[in-house]
Amino acid sequence: MSTRACRITFVGTILTGSFLLFLVQPMVARMALPRLGGAPAVWNSAMLVYQTLLLGGYAYAHALARIRPWVQAAVHLGVLLLGVIWLPIGLALGDGPPAVTPALWVPWLFGASIGPLFFAVSAQAPLVQRWFSIASRGGDPYALYAASNLGSFGGLIAYPLLVEPLLPLRQQSWLWTGGYVLLIAHVALCALRLPRAATGETARPTSVPATRARVLHWIALALVPSGLMLATSTYITTDIVAMPLLWVLPLGLYLLSFTIAFAANREIADLLTRIAPITILLFGGIMIGGVSQMPIANLGIALILLFMVSVALHTRMYRLRPDPDRLTGFYLAMAFGGALGGVFAGLVAPVVFDWTYEYPILIFAAGLLVPQVYLTAGIRRLWMTPSRRRSAQGVIVAVLLLFAGLTFWGPAEMFGDGHQGLTFIAIAAIGIVSVGARWTYALILAVTLVIFGGWRAVELSLETGARTRSYFGVYTIRDRTGVRELDHGTTVHGIQFTGNPVLERLPTTYYAPPSGIGQAMGALDRLYGRGARVGVVGLGTGTLACYAQPGQHWRFYEIDPAVIRIARDTGQFTYLKNCLPDPVIRIGDARLSIERDAPASLDLLTLDAFSSDAIPMHLMTREAFAAYAWVLQPRGLLLVHISNRFLDLEPVVAALAADGGWQATKLYYQPPKYTAVASASQWIAVSRDPATLAALTAGDPQWAALTRRAGLEAWTDDYSTILPLLKWKP
């Protein structure tokens, strides 16, 4: 067999396996949405499972590499065939026990559903590379790792752009099953190229083993990009939308970085590695400070920062790679570091920190590990000459102290309260000069992270009750003159007046009396009498409770116990205490709770469960609307809050209403400019009774018919896509 034909066989196998491996990740996460909700932590839990399974697969490959190649192939083919038992792909378990935290239940669900399959497919990448080295008699296998990650990147991008928009989940599962059978055939072809004779070449390594320090270095270089990838995922899916399209962007760039770092052509990798320290310094400070008015710019900066860090550290890892006969141990250390990064960002950080402190910690660690070279010969002479170096360090420390002091105590219009341009320019300039002088650079990076947001984060953490973190996100409570505010991500989730007993009962923000929900609440007596039954999906600060009247029956659906504690138990918000002191609260996913409720037990149901601008897609499907129809009486009203910076959700609700035989109307409320605590809101009222809808909207010409979008079908648990709904100019 020619060297070219041998390479084609093994590259085809690598590409097929890697494509399948990373196509299945968003697919199974999408399958789990109706059970688990749309929290970004669901994806991080899934990623933690994948990284653990990947570590197990690499450990298995490392152990298998010690026996004869043809025996390796026979054993691995047996493992792949055993995985057929789990086909076609689906969720293996039912709903989780109510008493079990999602942080434990979600990994168990994913592991039971695809664990054996993922384990089997993940192991073949290092095995096939080792087999290629043997079959080609000394060919470089590391280039195949670049191909492997190119296949992984292709699988990730194919899912949100092609597979999800074109195929329902059942067909997606069968498509993956066909690919798995094709992979088995590819592995069998590779096995035919391996020596079988007992005296043939074995896989036992003969080169000098890596030192313990080198192995620890590999682990650290793998840990930081892996953890930063998950931290970036948390950021962008909290503030945009929890969906496969944005789940896969950080992971896709992370995988693409391996393709560049391990490529035979070193030009791109070397160029990006050289400028990575500058990117970390500039973009790290911007990300910690945050610019809530420019979410799309923040998204781009976060992704560029992740990509540059990943390329630089993976390139360093490539340059420290061992000889091919020890590559399975190298990949095992890499997988171990990746799993540690996942554990830190996905398990430890949400428990230990009340804010996303893992993000600046990982950015700083990247600055310590990234390769650095002096940018010019003049800068090199500055730092290599002892007297000049001491002078430069003294000047830098003085400048840092000056700007740190001015930032915290100087004129706000120049240095503080978000106007830190001058400080940023000065620190960036001296930071660029310090690239190559690692410890001076590290000091400047640390000061940058502290000045541009880190110190304020610590101050909030030190304030009693100011910040809470749960599996579902970070909640921050801010006090301003006369008002108290609850933020989730960059979105305000409730504002209450303070210090005035009358104003404390006033519904604010999206729930002001002129809004769609405000008008619906005001019409309850007229539509359903004094004993109206109201359900609210999403508790927030409990603002809507102050529409409750004597004789009415209310119940809330809230998935996050931390939100319940903030609204009911801490005393920081008093809507519930003042207006509905003993509310009925169903803890858990709202859709599952509603499906367990008695039929026709509500007159009005409000759907307002969006965390930041992320939407739980499983609450916007045909099956979800069937559950709402179940719990509402025949004349009942469903109010859907669709305010969103990034998605136009009106066509989705219009399609669902038409599909389910509902009538629907919308009210887009824009408050006067002088109103400080009423927010622009978009509400859709839906009912199966046209007379009820007409009675609600009578007298207000702002209610209007919904606009359907041609070709957009109602979402289902089996099929949904958000690509046609994106607002490119939020």
Side-chain angles (χ1 to χ4, degrees):
M1 183 178 184
S2 68
T3 302
R4 177 181 174 81
C6 179
R7 179 177 291 273
I8 290 175
T9 300
F10 283 91
V11 168
T13 305
I14 282 280
L15 286 173
T16 302
S18 299
F19 185 89
L20 291 174
L21 193 65
F22 286 87
L23 181 68
V24 77
Q25 294 190 17
M27 184 187 300
V28 174
R30 173 65 182 82
M31 291 177 180
L33 278 181
R35 297 189 189 180
L36 304 176
V42 170
W43 175 246
N44 279 2
S45 293
M47 281 303 307
L48 182 60
V49 172
Y50 300 147
Q51 289 172 321
T52 303
L53 291 170
L54 188 70
L55 175 60
Y58 280 21
Y60 154 76
H62 181 60
L64 206 60
R66 298 178 180 277
I67 60 179
R68 291 189 177 90
W70 68 271
V71 179
Q72 294 179 34
V75 172
H76 188 55
L77 281 169
V79 171
L80 289 170
L81 290 172
L82 186 63
V84 172
I85 297 173
W86 278 263
L87 294 175
I89 292 173
L91 297 182
L93 303 175
D95 300 332
V100 177
T101 174
L104 298 177
W105 171 249
V106 174
W108 179 254
L109 173 64
F110 282 108
S113 300
I114 62 164
L117 286 169
F118 199 94
F119 171 85
V121 178
S122 66
Q124 62 90 27
L127 278 177
V128 169
Q129 290 179 67
R130 184 72 184 102
W131 295 351
F132 170 75
S133 179
I134 295 171
S136 62
R137 300 191 180 278
D140 181 13
Y142 288 105
L144 269 69
Y145 192 65
S148 169
N149 284 279
L150 185 61
S152 301
F153 179 77
L156 277 174
I157 297 302
Y159 186 78
L161 297 184
L162 296 174
V163 177
E164 185 186 34
L166 298 178
L167 298 174
L169 285 173
R170 185 177 298 275
Q171 293 182 21
Q172 294 175 27
S173 180
W174 282 108
L175 174 68
W176 199 91
T177 298
Y180 187 80
V181 173
L182 179 63
L183 175 64
I184 294 176
H186 271 290
V187 173
L189 285 176
C190 291
L192 294 176
R193 312 304 173 193
L194 297 174
R196 290 171 178 73
T199 57
E201 182 183 359
T202 71
R204 291 189 176 276
T206 58
S207 62
V208 177
T211 64
R212 181 177 300 178
R214 175 61 55 86
V215 173
L216 291 175
H217 198 178
W218 290 340
I219 292 171
L221 291 170
L223 185 156
V224 172
S226 171
L228 190 61
M229 179 262 294
L230 289 184
T232 304
S233 298
T234 298
Y235 167 74
I236 67 173
T237 56
T238 294
D239 289 321
I240 301 180
V241 56
M243 62 179 181
L245 178 62
L246 291 187
W247 283 338
V248 304
L249 283 177
L251 180 57
L253 291 175
Y254 171 79
L255 294 170
L256 190 61
S257 73
F258 281 110
T259 300
I260 294 174
F262 281 68
N265 187 321
R266 308 303 308 155
E267 292 181 4
I268 297 178
D270 291 343
L271 173 63
L272 296 182
T273 299
R274 186 178 180 87
I275 62 177
I278 302 174
T279 306
I280 294 171
L281 183 68
L282 298 181
F283 287 3
I286 293 173
M287 290 313 304
I288 299 306
V291 185
S292 59
Q293 297 83 1
M294 302 173 61
I296 300 300
N298 276 357
L299 169 65
I301 291 172
L303 294 176
I304 292 172
L305 176 62
L306 169 65
F307 182 66
M308 296 297 290
V309 167
S310 299
V311 169
L313 298 189
H314 292 155
T315 297
R316 179 59 176 162
M317 192 183 306
Y318 174 82
R319 295 196 177 281
L320 298 176
R321 70 194 185 281
D323 291 334
D325 61 344
R326 294 191 181 274
L327 68 79
T328 56
F330 172 67
Y331 288 132
L332 178 60
M334 182 189 301
F336 184 68
L340 285 181
V343 168
F344 172 65
L347 279 185
V348 175
V351 174
V352 174
F353 302 138
D354 65 357
W355 183 63
T356 52
Y357 285 106
E358 65 271 21
Y359 202 33
I361 289 172
L362 289 165
I363 292 173
F364 182 70
L368 291 179
L369 290 171
V370 69
Q372 294 192 25
V373 294
Y374 299 108
L375 297 181
T376 67
I379 293 176
R380 179 182 178 83
R381 287 193 297 271
L382 171 67
W383 292 105
M384 295 302 292
T385 304
S387 59
R388 293 179 178 178
R389 181 173 64 249
R390 287 191 294 270
S391 299
Q393 289 172 339
V395 171
I396 286 174
V397 169
V399 171
L400 290 178
L401 290 174
L402 172 64
F403 277 97
L406 290 173
T407 297
F408 296 120
W409 298 290
E413 65 275 9
M414 293 182 63
F415 299 98
D417 294 342
H419 303 282
Q420 298 172 318
L422 182 60
T423 306
F424 184 81
I425 292 172
I427 293 180
I430 62 175
I432 290 172
V433 173
S434 72
V435 172
R438 183 173 301 276
W439 294 110
T440 303
Y441 170 88
L443 173 63
I444 297 171
L445 177 59
V447 171
T448 301
L449 296 176
V450 170
I451 286 179
F452 293 100
W455 181 253
R456 177 55 183 155
V458 172
E459 284 184 326
L460 282 172
S461 294
L462 293 176
E463 291 181 23
T464 303
R467 182 177 278 146
T468 300
R469 185 172 185 175
S470 74
Y471 184 78
F472 298 94
V474 176
Y475 305 96
T476 303
I477 298 172
R478 306 178 192 274
D479 285 318
R480 295 185 282 118
T481 304
V483 296
R484 179 166 293 149
E485 175 182 310
L486 174 65
D487 297 340
H488 184 282
T490 59
T491 299
V492 176
H493 265 309
I495 292 178
Q496 184 178 24
F497 285 103
T498 57
N500 186 312
V502 176
L503 293 180
E504 284 180 3
R505 295 171 177 263
L506 178 66
T508 60
T509 62
Y510 312 108
Y511 319 107
S515 67
I517 188 61
Q519 293 192 27
M521 291 295 178
L524 282 176
D525 281 357
R526 176 163 43 92
L527 295 175
Y528 305 111
R530 291 190 173 276
R533 301 162 299 171
V534 179
V536 178
V537 176
L539 176 61
T541 58
T543 308
L544 287 176
C546 281
Y547 283 110
Q549 297 296 320
Q552 293 178 352
H553 304 277
W554 283 59
R555 62 176 178 257
F556 292 89
Y557 302 89
E558 176 56 53
I559 195 172
D560 192 351
V563 172
I564 298 173
R565 188 177 64 83
I566 291 171
R568 185 187 64 187
D569 303 331
T570 64
Q572 294 168 297
F573 293 91
T574 60
Y575 284 120
L576 291 179
K577 177 184 176 182
N578 293 339
C579 305
L580 201 63
D582 191 23
V584 175
I585 301 177
R586 303 270 201 272
I587 301 177
D589 181 74
R591 179 170 156 185
L592 298 178
S593 298
I594 287 172
E595 290 171 350
R596 292 191 289 263
D597 279 338
S601 58
L602 290 176
D603 298 308
L604 183 145
L605 177 64
T606 298
L607 181 60
D608 183 41
F610 302 165
S611 60
S612 194
D613 275 283
I615 64 167
M617 296 174 72
H618 72 298
L619 297 181
M620 300 283 282
T621 65
R622 176 187 296 158
E623 294 82 355
F625 269 59
Y628 308 149
W630 159 270
V631 79
L632 284 169
Q633 59 124 315
R635 294 179 50 250
L637 268 174
L638 172 66
L639 269 292
V640 185
H641 188 196
I642 63 166
S643 304
N644 195 285
R645 289 176 293 177
F646 306 103
L647 298 177
D648 178 13
L649 296 173
E650 180 184 337
V652 176
V653 180
L656 288 166
D659 179 78
W662 302 72
Q663 302 294 314
T665 183
K666 66 183 179 183
L667 176 61
Y668 287 6
Y669 171 65
Q670 182 66 48
K673 292 182 179 179
Y674 57 80
T675 303
V677 292
S679 305
S681 63
Q682 302 175 1
W683 287 90
I684 295 178
V686 184
S687 179
R688 288 168 293 173
D689 179 34
T692 299
L693 212 58
L696 169 67
T697 60
D700 190 341
Q702 294 187 65
W703 287 96
L706 269 63
T707 303
R708 291 206 61 180
R709 183 169 298 183
L712 183 68
E713 300 296 327
W715 284 357
T716 69
D717 286 349
D718 200 44
Y719 175 81
S720 62
T721 177
I722 58 89
L723 289 177
L725 310 175
L726 287 173
K727 297 178 182 178
W728 298 108
K729 293 182 179 181

